[in-house]
Amino acid sequence: LDVLCSIPLPGYNSMQQSVDMWASMDGHLLLYAFLPALLFGDAMAFDVHTFIGSFSQCLLLACPGVLLGTGLTAICARFLLQWSWGLSFVFGSIMAATDPVAVVALLKAVGASPTLTMQITGESLLNDGTAIVIFNICCGMYGIGPERSYGQMGIYFFMMAIIGPLLGYFFGFVAYYWGLKRASRKHDEADVVIQVAITVSTAYLSFFVAESEVGVSGVLCTVMAAIYLAQHSWPVMLSHESMESCWHLIEFIGNTLIFLLAGVITSRVLVKHSGQLHKVLGMWLVLVIIRAVMILVFYPLLRQLGLGTTPKDSAFMVWAGLRGAVGLALAVFVADQAPDEEEGEILIVFVSGLA
């Protein structure tokens, strides 16, 4: 095998270097490069009227639901997998971020209830923000980033959950009045490109300024900016098809690269940790049960709040709590920063396997 590996194959070295570069990508770069694209396109395509009607239900699942899911998942990881409390809570916060992209596409294809579709989509976008705020707190417990007291955690959560969306509202306002409305000349073909460029710039600029410069939730800031544009900007869009096609392509590229990167990293650690695969399958079953418990606990409120829900819709929501690109990005970030390299590798195996 050593002899075979030493044979210089055409293109092998450049391919191997490329794979090595992807596998060793900085975790911060991963979050800043992919999260805005994955979040903004979904939020900008919202039916705002239905979202407002379902907002209280989405918020219930995205705040208390995420806290409950994180806690139960962390307890199960601590006692079933024998992990440390710090790693268990990091894992729980990562698993709290649902990403049912395929589920939503299927619901739209079969003409399912707009209310059910919005509850699943809205929960996913809002709980991304909540889960990442909890994730940052848990990272401090694990030794990545600053460790906070309970009082500091409360202030931090307030800053992230309140100031982030307000900043996003400001970015959406500026993008609409200063950008999209000005670039809406129907007989100027360049304005179509300008409008697409403004939305892409808004997605990345809002995330960067919130996360890096202001120190609030970049996810919630970006999502709120997109929701503002979803509510106000479509009447001045010159080409709805071009805008939607561009954002579908951006989302597709982002999802593809995230899963490609996860596959590259997982393949490298899987040989070393192949004995964990049966545990991954067991943990998947545990997560489904935890999801069912969460929906059952909040069902009385889900039925009363907003547009309401039915027992069938609630049962479907148990299976719609899939994990995907956002969780993978957070897991890769932790693996890059983890104080214990082996724990980081095991986390990658579990998160990618569950996704």
Side-chain angles (χ1 to χ4, degrees), residues 49-59 114-115 118-119 306-307:
H49 177 73
T50 308
F51 174 69
I52 292 173
S54 303
F55 179 76
S56 55
Q57 295 164 305
C58 297
L59 194 65
T115 302
M118 182 53 64
Q119 286 174 358
L307 300 178

Side-chain angles (χ1 to χ4, degrees), residues 95 97-103 284 291 318-324 354-355:
M95 289 294 99
T98 58
D99 189 21
V101 175
V103 175
W284 172 81
R291 174 80 176 174
V318 172
W319 298 99
L322 308 182
R323 276 72 178 178
L354 291 166

Side-chain angles (χ1 to χ4, degrees), residues 106-158:
L106 178 63
L107 289 174
K108 290 180 179 178
V110 300
S113 161
T115 302
L116 174 61
T117 305
M118 182 53 64
Q119 286 174 358
I120 294 171
T121 310
E123 179 202 356
S124 172
L125 280 174
L126 294 180
N127 75 12
D128 283 343
T130 309
I132 292 177
V133 172
I134 297 173
F135 169 79
N136 288 331
I137 293 173
C138 294
C139 280
M141 297 168 56
Y142 183 52
I144 305 174
E147 188 171 354
R148 299 174 175 88
S149 65
Y150 291 113
Q152 290 172 328
M153 286 182 188
I155 295 172
Y156 176 77
F157 192 88
F158 172 82

Side-chain angles (χ1 to χ4, degrees), residues 21 30 42 49 71 113 158 206 237 268 275 285 295:
M21 290 173 66
L30 187 69
D42 274 343
H49 177 73
S113 161
F158 172 82
S206 60
M237 293 290 184
R268 294 188 165 206
L285 182 60
I295 297 295

